[in-house]
Every structure is written in structure tokens, then in C-alpha cells.
Amino acid sequence: LPHPLTRLLQFSPLGTYLILWEPYAVRPGETGLPNLNIYKGEEHVAQYFQKKQDHWCPQWTDDELVCARNVTNEIHFFEGGCPGSSPSSRLQQENLTSYSLSPGPPPYHIAVHIKGTKGAPSSVQLYRYPRVSGSGAVIANRSFYKADTVQLKWNTRGNGVLVLTTTDVDKTGASYYGEQALYYLSVKGDGNMVPLDKKGPVYCVEWSPSNNEFCVVYGFMPSKAALFNSKCDMIYDFGITHRNTAVFNPQGNILCLAGFGNLRGNMEFWDINNRKCISKAQASDSTTVGWCPDGVHVVTATTAPRLREGNGFKIWHFSGVLLQESITPPKNELWGVEWKPVPSGTFPIPDPLGPPVSSPLELVTTTSKPKPQAYVPPALRGKTQPSKEDSDSSGEVSKSKRKRDAQKRARQQQSGHDSKSGTESLKQQSQQEALATAQYILKGEENTRSSGGGEKEKRLKILRKKLKQIETLKQQQIEGKKLEANQVEKLKMEESILQEISQLEL
């Protein structure tokens, strides 16, 4: 398809349509082109201007008989599945920011978010298609005073929706990401707040495709994952660990709990019916995950713009076996990976307790994984880097140079001596002085032990400590080290210290 700048893509529920989105850009003096394109096979069926990335993709009902698209303060509905220039009906609301079509068979329902204004709360309203305007069109309504943004999650039957509300700022200061709450709203008009017993953000909310129950991952790290029913009662606790993702397979009998993004990529596969952990695996650096329609295989991917290095995807079996890995070539980026949808019921329900997979499936030919390379700062990239052998040899050279410099300094310190014998005599003198100092110290320790303490012994202890420091400085001077001015002054005090020690020991 002739859209090389495509950043996002998605299939319609039955795979009939392919939707492509690319960033909207206009050159000076030119008119911008539509950046949202819809294809049916190779046929280009529709195009629109969609400047914002938020809520960019049109939505279809599961049978693809109705399509909806968000326009400023309006939702346009197209019957027959194929979007066109003239909508069949419109839903108009001031400050309408987002919407969601219910899955399942008719009657179809629509949930819309109306953002609150100053002094007025936000709200979520439910409609039953095709009645989307006029008196009595709203079949359920819930107001929220703390809801700058919302996420809408329908159950598979299309008769209940979860509403995750988020504020931009948490006024209590408990969370950097704002304050969140989770509510359940039914098409009958009733609803409840979901009680979350661990403080912190809500990372993921996911309905089970087969049962009227949902999984929530919430709370400060390490987070908690739990299973709730439609009455908002907790029915199972998966425990506390580092997770932020929950995804059911299409058949609803296997749940994948994982920690992606800035977490280590640990995955757990759970048998929902028996409440048992099947397997564990690790998909490091993954940014996205998705189940294959067969309910057996999972794809994890490292994609841009979240990560621009090491892009690629992996295909797993729910038993934890890695079946396939594809690495994106260097200097290329992977922006998305999607399974093509198939009609519901195409694949049988998988057996979570079946035999494990022992051999990989040969799905596609992939590039071999390159060896990990050492990190190179951006300023040095593209330049010739020294090899390990060169680095080792340069280290040895620098070590030898330091040794030669030290020897040169030592010779300069000893340049005042006329011959080798003078140097030897200086060494002998230093050894004699060190021996005498040791004798003084030993004698002083014996006197201290016998006298039992006092001011005299304290003074002797201080003087001997100074004398020991002087001996250390003299040894450093012999080795060629240049002394500081205060250290030279301390050497001149040696004679007076020895005299004071002699007087105190009398």
C-alpha cells in the first residue's frame, strides 16, 4: 500500500477493513492531505483528516454492520459497514471527548464520555442504537467529579461497561500519575464502584471473553492482580508481584499476567477455570502483547517509539515455550504487530492442561539474533572503536609509563647525592631511625601499661603518633614523592618531638 509514513494500523473485527494512520503534516504553502485511510483488500474505500492520534481509529460492531467515527463533539454512524462521506445518524454532545461501541449482537449500545466544565462534573452516558438523540435517548448515566479522562471497557455481552476515571493531578500527593477510580455501569441503569484494597494506580482492566467477570491489576509496585464478578465482588486473588498487564485469550480460559514496559517482562499463564498457574516465561523489553485467535499462541513485541533499539517480535506458546523470534534489521523500527482477526468460533477451546510444546513451529524465516554490543555514547557512534586487545595493550602502556614517571621523580629527589654509596647510606640511616622509633613506641607502650594512664601517658601517645606520621613522610620522600609545604614543616619538628618524648619518659 502506498503509505510509507504509516505509524498505526488496525483491522476491523472480521478483518474486512484495514485502517492506516500517519501523522498529519502540512508543508508551507500547500494543502494537507487526508492521513486516515481505510482499505478493503487492495481497494481504497475511504479517507479522512484525523489530526490527533487520540481515538484515531473508527469502531465497528462485531458483525461490521455499523461503523462509528468520532468528529469534534459528534459521533457519525455509517450503516452497512463501509464508511462514507454521509453518515446515517449523528450523536451530538457538547464536550464529547471519547466513545465506545459495545460488542456482541444487536441491540448495540454506545458509551460516551462528556468532559466536565468548571463547576459541572464529567459524566458517562449510555445510548441504545439507533436512538442516539432526543428525549429519553440516554438509558444510563453516571457523573464523576474526579474524571479528567476515562477509559471505557465493555464486557463481551455488551450489557455492562467498566469506567476507569483518571485525574491529571492527585491533590492528596499520593501518586504522580493522578488519582484513579474504577466503576461498573449496566445498560439497565444500575452500577457500582469497584473496591480496590491496595492504594495506587490502576495499570490494567480486562474483561473475560467467556464469563461476566474481569481482572484488575492495581496498586503501587509490587502490584496486585484480582478477579471480580459483575457485582464488583472479588472472587480470586492472584497475589502481589511486579505486573502491569492482564490479557485473556479469545476463549477466556487462559489469562496472561505480565510486567512489561519498565518492568522485566515476566509472564504468567493461568488456567482460569482451575485457578492454577500453568507456566512462567520472560519477554524482556517488550512493549506490547496480543493473543492469537486460536487462544494458544501469544505475540510479544518491542516497538517504537517506546524503544527504538532492539525492535522485533516473539511468538510464545502458553506453556511458556518460545516458538519464533524475528529481529528488526539495524537502523529500522517496528511500530506495531497485530494478529489478523477471524470470526468467533473458528478455533476450539484450548486445553490448558494439554501436553507441553517441545519443538518450535517454523512459521517464518527470521534473522539470527545479533550478539549484544557494548554501549557507545551518541557522540562516538559511527567512529572507529578500539578493540579489546588494543584497550588491554593501551592499559599496559599507560601502566608502564606511570612506573617510569615514578622512577624519574625518585631520581630527581636523589640528585643531590654524588654517588650510589650516598644513597645506600641514606637508606641505612632511615632504617636506623625507623628501628629507633619502634623501640621508643614499644618502650612507651610498656610504660603506659605499667603506669595505668594519666595526662603524661596521653601526651606520650600523641607524640608517638606524630613521630609515626613523620616516619611515613620520610619514607614517601625517599620513594620520590613530592611533599606539601605543611608536610615539610612536620619533618622539621622531629627533633623537638624526640626531646619531649625523652623528657616525659624520665
Side-chain angles (χ1 to χ4, degrees), residues 21-88:
W21 181 88
E22 53 189 284
Y24 182 76
V26 181
R27 295 180 179 178
E30 296 183 1
T31 303
L33 298 176
N35 60 319
L36 179 66
N37 295 275
I38 302 177
Y39 283 84
K40 183 177 181 180
E42 297 183 359
E43 180 187 359
H44 193 193
V45 296
Q47 59 181 1
Y48 300 99
F49 289 96
Q50 181 66 38
K51 297 181 180 180
K52 295 183 179 180
Q53 183 175 341
D54 296 336
H55 315 295
W56 67 275
C57 187
Q59 298 183 25
W60 278 265
T61 56
D62 283 353
D63 52 16
E64 294 188 357
L65 295 180
V66 178
C67 174
R69 179 173 177 264
N70 190 7
V71 187
T72 305
N73 293 330
E74 293 183 2
I75 300 176
H76 293 180
F77 296 93
F78 304 89
E79 293 188 355
C82 183
S85 58
S86 179
S88 58

Side-chain angles (χ1 to χ4, degrees), residues 117-333:
T117 56
K118 197 170 185 179
S122 299
S123 65
V124 170
Q125 300 176 355
L126 302 186
Y127 296 82
R128 182 176 288 112
Y129 187 82
R131 190 179 180 185
V132 293
S133 62
S135 178
V138 178
I139 61 175
N141 180 62
R142 182 69 185 254
S143 298
F144 313 95
Y145 278 96
K146 296 182 179 181
D148 295 322
T149 59
V150 301
Q151 295 181 34
L152 304 170
K153 292 269 189 176
W154 285 97
N155 61 9
T156 53
R157 300 175 184 176
N159 57 10
V161 61
L162 287 169
V163 182
L164 177 61
T165 64
T166 305
T167 59
D168 295 335
V169 178
D170 185 358
K171 295 182 179 180
T172 65
S175 175
Y176 172 80
Y177 300 99
E179 190 174 356
Q180 292 182 303
L182 186 62
Y183 301 87
Y184 171 75
L185 191 60
S186 170
V187 294
K188 296 179 180 179
D190 57 348
N192 294 298
M193 182 176 181
V194 181
L196 303 178
D197 56 356
K198 194 175 191 299
K199 293 183 179 180
V202 178
Y203 303 102
C204 184
V205 180
E206 190 76 13
W207 281 100
S208 170
S210 59
N211 300 315
N212 204 16
E213 55 192 28
F214 56 94
C215 179
V216 186
V217 183
Y218 60 98
F220 293 113
M221 287 293 170
S223 61
K224 182 176 182 178
L227 200 63
F228 296 83
N229 59 20
S230 59
K231 297 180 180 179
C232 301
D233 298 326
M234 184 186 296
I235 57 178
Y236 189 75
D237 184 354
F238 293 100
I240 296 177
T241 187
H242 292 81
R243 311 185 186 101
N244 58 12
T245 304
V247 188
F248 286 92
N249 70 341
Q251 291 76 16
N253 66 331
I254 300 176
L255 171 65
C256 176
L257 294 174
F260 293 139
N262 58 347
L263 300 180
R264 295 185 176 182
N266 293 325
M267 298 189 297
E268 302 172 9
F269 294 93
W270 285 79
D271 179 357
I272 292 299
N273 296 329
N274 297 314
R275 307 287 195 261
K276 180 181 178 181
C277 183
I278 305 170
S279 63
K280 295 182 180 181
Q282 187 176 40
S284 301
D285 300 327
S286 296
T287 58
T288 183
V289 62
W291 279 95
C292 177
D294 63 3
V296 174
H297 302 98
V298 172
V299 61
T300 60
T302 303
T303 58
R306 179 64 184 270
L307 291 174
R308 298 185 183 275
E309 296 292 335
N311 287 180
F313 65 88
K314 299 177 181 178
I315 297 177
W316 305 79
H317 189 269
F318 68 78
S319 60
V321 178
L322 178 61
L323 303 178
Q324 195 72 42
E325 181 175 8
S326 177
I327 305 300
T328 303
K331 298 183 180 181
N332 289 300
E333 296 177 352

Side-chain angles (χ1 to χ4, degrees), residues 445-455 457:
E445 290 178 352
E446 292 175 357
N447 293 337
T448 302
R449 287 193 294 268
S450 61
S451 62
E455 294 296 327
E457 286 73 16

Side-chain angles (χ1 to χ4, degrees), residues 12 21 26 46 81 231 252 283 327 337 380 408 414 496:
S12 60
W21 181 88
V26 181
K231 297 180 180 179
I327 305 300
V337 178
L380 299 179
K408 183 178 180 180
Q414 298 172 7
S496 61

